[in-house]
Each structure stands twice: as C-alpha cells, then as structure tokens.
Amino acid sequence: IGPQGTSDGTSPTVADGTDARGDATTQVALDEEYVWLAQERAYTSGGNPTHYFVSPFHMRQVSKFTGEATKFVDAETNKVVNSVKILEGAFGMLDVICCRHQRARDSFMLDMSLWAIATLRPITWEALAKTGDADNGHLITEFTLIARNEKGSSGVFDLTTS
C-alpha cells in the first residue's frame, strides 16, 4: 500500500509463487491511514491480522501516530515514555513488533493463524567422521512455510527508511 492506497511497485503475477513483488520507484513515509487500509484489505480477504512487523525506524514512526500514542512522564523514575505496542483499529488489535531482521522499507501485517510450517523431511542425526575422541554428526531436516490464505495478511511497502 502506498500513496492513495496504491503502490507503483509490481505485485506478483504468477499464482504459483515463482515471481516476487517489485519495488516502487518512489518511497513514501509511513502514515497511519496506510496501516488502517492494509488492515482493512486483509480483513475483507478473510484474515484477522494480529501482528504488525516494522523496522526500528518505523517503530519510531508508529509511536508518533496521533490516534494511539500517549507521551507521559513517570514521576518516580523520571522516565519519559512514548511508545506504541498495540494499535487498535476498526478491524481489531495489532501487536506492533519491532523486527531488525526484515527489510527496512517494508512492514508486514500477519494473521498468524493463516500461516503454518510443514515438515518435508523429519529431523535426523547423521554421523560424520570421528575425530579423536569426538563423535561428530549433523542434523538434517527440511521445512516449508504454508500460506493458508495469502491475502488474509497484508503490508505497507516502499516506505522511506530515514
């Protein structure tokens, strides 16, 4: 979701998942309206998103949303608190989670009940060559991510990162 609820980034065109979303040529600042629009789109597609993953920079932006943020000073500790951990919109509550491992220009809104992990090959231990008194080995396994309803989750993409 970008300016006016659209993005000039390209959406995947193949249903089998062999292509990916492309980036927009321009980036936009994270806006509260984009978050609510993304939540609405996921909701109308059968999802009930409960988690909103944002970069550290965008965590600071979410804390500035006027509809949710309350800045106060704890008199006992002389600590100023200005953060948002939960956003509550028309379509439910979102836990805001700061994630340093995701791409900074994107944010993701997920309905965790629509995602699962499947085991393709169970965990096995395989012995490797013995070195002295040490018994060496490695674990082998394969997992995959299952999207039960990809449109039931959403995101806000092509965001500014500074």
Side-chain angles (χ1 to χ4, degrees), residues 8-50:
D8 64 348
T10 58
S11 293
T13 57
V14 182
D16 66 4
T18 56
D19 66 347
R21 187 186 173 286
D23 289 334
T25 54
T26 58
Q27 292 174 276
V28 296
L30 180 61
D31 182 273
E32 195 169 357
E33 185 60 28
Y34 297 156
V35 174
W36 303 137
L37 184 55
Q39 186 184 32
E40 178 183 357
R41 286 186 177 177
Y43 182 84
T44 57
S45 295
N48 184 22
T50 55

Side-chain angles (χ1 to χ4, degrees), residues 33-151:
E33 185 60 28
Y34 297 156
V35 174
W36 303 137
L37 184 55
Q39 186 184 32
E40 178 183 357
R41 286 186 177 177
Y43 182 84
T44 57
S45 295
N48 184 22
T50 55
H51 293 75
Y52 186 46
F53 294 89
V54 296
S55 70
F57 174 77
H58 292 109
M59 187 70 177
R60 290 189 357 245
Q61 302 310 108
V62 168
S63 293
K64 295 177 186 175
F65 287 176
T66 59
E68 300 295 333
T70 301
K71 186 174 184 177
F72 66 91
V73 177
D74 185 340
E76 280 186 28
T77 63
N78 287 333
K79 180 170 67 173
V80 176
V81 178
N82 184 23
S83 67
V84 171
K85 298 288 184 187
I86 296 176
L87 292 172
E88 186 170 4
F91 302 99
M93 292 175 55
L94 295 168
D95 289 330
V96 182
I97 301 161
C98 186
C99 181
R100 70 174 67 91
H101 303 292
Q102 73 182 51
R103 194 170 167 209
R105 68 184 280 161
D106 299 329
S107 64
F108 304 97
M109 194 175 293
L110 303 178
D111 179 342
M112 301 306 268
S113 71
L114 300 178
W115 298 89
I117 295 176
T119 303
L120 300 176
R121 185 165 45 156
I123 298 173
T124 58
W125 186 82
E126 183 176 277
L128 296 174
K130 190 168 176 70
T131 306
D133 288 338
D135 292 324
N136 299 313
H138 62 182
L139 296 173
I140 302 171
T141 189
E142 286 182 60
F143 296 101
T144 190
L145 182 64
I146 299 171
R148 295 183 175 135
N149 175 3
E150 188 176 336
K151 289 185 176 182

